Amino acid sequence: MEMENENESVSVSENENERHFKSMQQIQHAFHEEHPLVLVAEQSNIEGLKAYCDGCGELLSAPCFTCIHCNYNLHKQCAEAPLSLPNHPLHPQHSYVGFFLRQRPYPSDHKVYGCELCKEKCNMFFYQCYHLGCWFSIDIKCAKLSSSYKFNQPSKHDIHQHPLTFIESPTSTIDVPKRFNCSWCHETLIDAIYFCCDCPFIIHKKCLDELPTEIDHLTHRLHPLILNRSDSDYLCNPCQKKHSGPFYSCSLCHFNINVECAWPRSTDSFICDACGTQGNYISYTCSTCCITLHKKYISLPRIIKFSRHDHYIFHKYFLQTRELTRQDCKICFKEVRLERGSYSCGKQGCNYIVHVNCVLENDKLYKVIKEEKQCEEFYEKSMQSSIIHVIEVNEAREATKIEHFSHQHCLVLAYKMEEKIDRKCDGCMLPISNIFYYCSECPFFLHKTCVELPRIKQHWFRQSNATLNFDSFKTCDFCDQYCSGFFYHVGYWDMCLRCAKVADIIECEGHQHFLFFDFKGSEKFCNGCGNRCSPGAFKCGKCKFALDFGCLTLPHSALHKIDEHMLNLTYHDDKEQSYCDICEQERDPSRWYYSCSICDTSAHLKLPSYYYRHNHDLKFYRKAEGYLECSFCGKLCQEEILKCEKPACNYIIHNECRWH
């Protein structure tokens, strides 16, 4: 009785919350049409919320709009940003067509470049030029500069090969330019600047005006170096890279040095204390701390959140350990030199460690933690439950009756199937055995483990959150298998549950060593099936073995009408010539296959198939109503079928029959 009262009070409280949110100001935003956004006017109402604006990417602050159903938030200023701009001073050539507001990521964003002002490509709102074939874009933060800065028309300067736009700032309190540094002196941009729309070149006005025409430099002590400019590529002697634009040179010795390389004064070979790798031209040295750094690691982030680890990781220039054991990078599996810089987990008992260059290689996989107070949630993982409401619980505090996001009716907990019927879980499509939830009003079943899957979680494949969706039928972008049920939406990728359960570092029965996921492994061919690995590959750090998601998630055994026994996944074949007993075609003995050791039956992992077409659109159904025969094989249809949507057409086919 006390438990029932407690549940009633929880239900009443939730209803009050819903009525409270409905009474507040709401908007429907064009980029989040599935739910309304509620206005949060006071900062005190979001003090405990560690979230970021999906519009500008900055830490959320009031006033803001937030979704009470999912993790979507917008600053009020970002939510009210106009959906189009008539023009922008940075792009006068197409001012007659204007700009439209977009959001990333789009699946076709491979031709969308970074912001023209800050050169960054981030997951945030940005304005893009309406003109067909023009890829000019500027993010929402930099677009705000147009109201605070005075822009002049681009003009030519000897210091740079492209025209430079002059920005005269009326105030030095604007935060956006402070994120970038001058290409010449590397100091923060807080004064009037020149910047290039065609490449990442920004320079203080004072640096451009005061740039010396002649310098003495340690790299060439014999003669003074004279400022020059070249439209074609030239070789910089210290860094041994080709550049174009401004450079200093000695015409007598045919010595050239790029403007950026000319600014620092240290040119000896060194080991970078930040990343532990060798540098052979420009270094930066702190005489107080006795550390030497690559130029790119002067402003190395101290704390980051990496998608492939649950906790925050910290950069340290060396690690003290009482154990003289080897530490391997959890990305490339090569040794980490503890006396050099690396990123490691600060949680006690966690020995996660990675190379600096490995962890910072892909900016989609980590987020910079700017303020240390964000580490308050260091030991917690942000997740949102798939259970909308718990209606009843038992003495063990198990939820016995629930509302779940995937179904319109209530679901009830059961421990065994009363009837001996071959039922499948509607979430993962695997057979129901024990401990499951079912609907008493219609034939809907879910494993208890599938019910408890988080609705929102972080997956190691991307730094952004993965959202659990319930779809009738689609293709997994990782294993390339047609599936129905639960999918995690990761970025713009759809991932089935089997692939979602795969860790980035795994053991595989088909190989003797650990495998780790390599995002650059798409050039590899899978040792299981022979196809090119996509997206990325699970590679071995000790040999050339590689697998794709499809082979890694194959079932260890399967039934087929060709054999009365289970066919087992087999990794090696000693025969010189082998054939598939299903398609009767030759099979590559070096690839994985299914076999029965009793009957000596063998089969390809995936048979050559042809798509069985129909003239009208087909709709997928999980369950078949009535006794319908498949138009292809003639057998009764019970589960996973496709029916013609035309009323006068009686075409119906098993999902598995359409590939033959």
Side-chain angles (χ1 to χ4, degrees), residues 301-466:
R302 193 173 73 86
I303 310 171
I304 63 172
K305 179 63 184 70
F306 186 45
S307 65
R308 297 169 76 165
H309 189 60
D310 290 340
H311 315 127
Y312 292 109
I313 54 178
F314 296 76
H315 179 264
K316 295 182 179 179
Y317 286 97
F318 62 91
L319 288 175
Q320 292 180 333
T321 176
R322 295 180 180 178
E323 301 178 4
L324 298 176
T325 56
R326 173 187 169 119
Q327 295 277 1
D328 289 338
C329 172
K330 296 301 187 292
I331 298 176
C332 70
F333 277 80
K334 295 179 181 178
E335 185 177 8
V336 176
R337 297 179 61 184
L338 302 184
E339 72 275 13
R340 301 294 183 185
S342 62
Y343 277 95
S344 59
C345 183
K347 187 177 180 181
Q348 189 174 5
C350 183
N351 61 352
Y352 188 87
I353 186 171
V354 288
H355 290 122
V356 171
N357 291 332
C358 290
V359 75
L360 299 182
E361 185 176 22
N362 189 338
D363 58 6
K364 293 184 178 68
L365 301 181
Y366 70 89
K367 180 185 292 184
V368 176
I369 306 302
K370 297 178 181 178
E371 301 178 17
E372 195 158 351
K373 64 181 182 181
Q374 291 179 251
C375 295
E376 293 172 2
E377 57 184 26
F378 192 82
Y379 301 107
E380 299 177 3
K381 193 169 185 177
S382 176
M383 288 189 179
Q384 181 178 316
S385 174
S386 299
I387 300 173
I388 298 173
H389 180 51
V390 176
I391 301 173
E392 295 176 5
V393 296
N394 58 20
E395 294 180 357
R397 304 298 297 172
E398 284 183 307
T400 55
K401 191 174 183 180
I402 62 169
E403 291 179 14
H404 198 266
F405 88 95
S406 64
H407 195 61
Q408 67 271 31
H409 305 134
C410 294
L411 301 180
V412 180
L413 181 66
Y415 292 94
K416 63 178 182 178
M417 192 72 70
E418 293 182 359
E419 302 177 12
K420 291 187 176 180
I421 303 175
D422 183 22
R423 293 290 188 187
K424 290 183 179 179
C425 170
D426 286 277
C428 65
M429 299 310 296
L430 294 176
I432 292 284
S433 54
N434 53 17
I435 313 182
F436 60 94
Y437 284 87
Y438 70 95
C439 177
S440 57
E441 299 183 42
C442 64
F444 185 85
F445 299 84
L446 287 177
H447 290 121
K448 186 172 183 288
T449 53
C450 290
V451 163
E452 294 170 349
L453 287 169
R455 182 73 192 276
I456 296 176
K457 61 173 284 186
Q458 185 190 320
H459 191 272
W460 57 262
F461 190 76
R462 280 292 183 270
Q463 177 58 38
S464 56
N465 284 335

Side-chain angles (χ1 to χ4, degrees), residues 132-167:
L132 184 65
C134 179
W135 299 102
F136 177 92
S137 62
I138 183 168
D139 69 45
I140 193 170
K141 289 190 289 187
C142 292
K144 295 174 186 176
L145 284 173
S146 58
S147 61
S148 304
Y149 278 72
K150 179 183 177 182
F151 293 83
N152 287 0
Q153 291 297 319
S155 57
K156 289 292 291 181
H157 294 266
D158 289 336
I159 186 68
H160 195 61
Q161 69 268 34
H162 303 135
L164 299 178
T165 301
F166 177 64
I167 304 179

Side-chain angles (χ1 to χ4, degrees), residues 54 76 161 184 247 261 280 327 329 388 596 616 628 640:
D54 288 282
K76 187 172 184 293
Q161 69 268 34
W184 175 248
F247 66 101
C261 293
N280 55 11
Q327 295 277 1
C329 172
I388 298 173
C596 173
H616 309 137
L628 305 172
E640 297 188 22

Side-chain angles (χ1 to χ4, degrees), residues 475-542:
T475 306
C476 173
D477 292 321
F478 292 81
C479 64
D480 201 31
Q481 296 294 318
Y482 286 90
C483 310
S484 62
F486 289 155
F487 279 81
Y488 272 106
H489 193 67
V490 188
Y492 53 83
W493 304 78
D494 288 313
M495 177 183 281
C496 69
L497 285 189
R498 282 183 299 180
C499 292
K501 293 177 181 178
V502 176
D504 63 319
I505 304 172
I506 57 161
E507 285 184 284
C508 174
E509 288 188 13
H511 192 64
Q512 66 270 33
H513 306 136
F514 277 95
L515 303 178
F516 65 93
F517 188 78
D518 182 6
F519 287 88
K520 298 182 294 184
S522 297
E523 57 195 35
K524 293 281 185 180
F525 287 91
C526 175
N527 285 74
C529 63
N531 296 329
R532 188 179 291 276
C533 296
S534 177
F538 288 88
K539 289 170 50 179
C540 177
K542 298 182 178 180

Side-chain angles (χ1 to χ4, degrees), residues 141 144-145 147-149 168-179 188-192:
K141 289 190 289 187
K144 295 174 186 176
L145 284 173
S147 61
S148 304
Y149 278 72
E168 183 180 350
S169 172
T171 174
S172 61
T173 60
I174 297 177
D175 182 61
V176 175
K178 293 181 181 179
R179 294 182 288 146
T188 307
L189 303 173
I190 58 174
D191 299 317

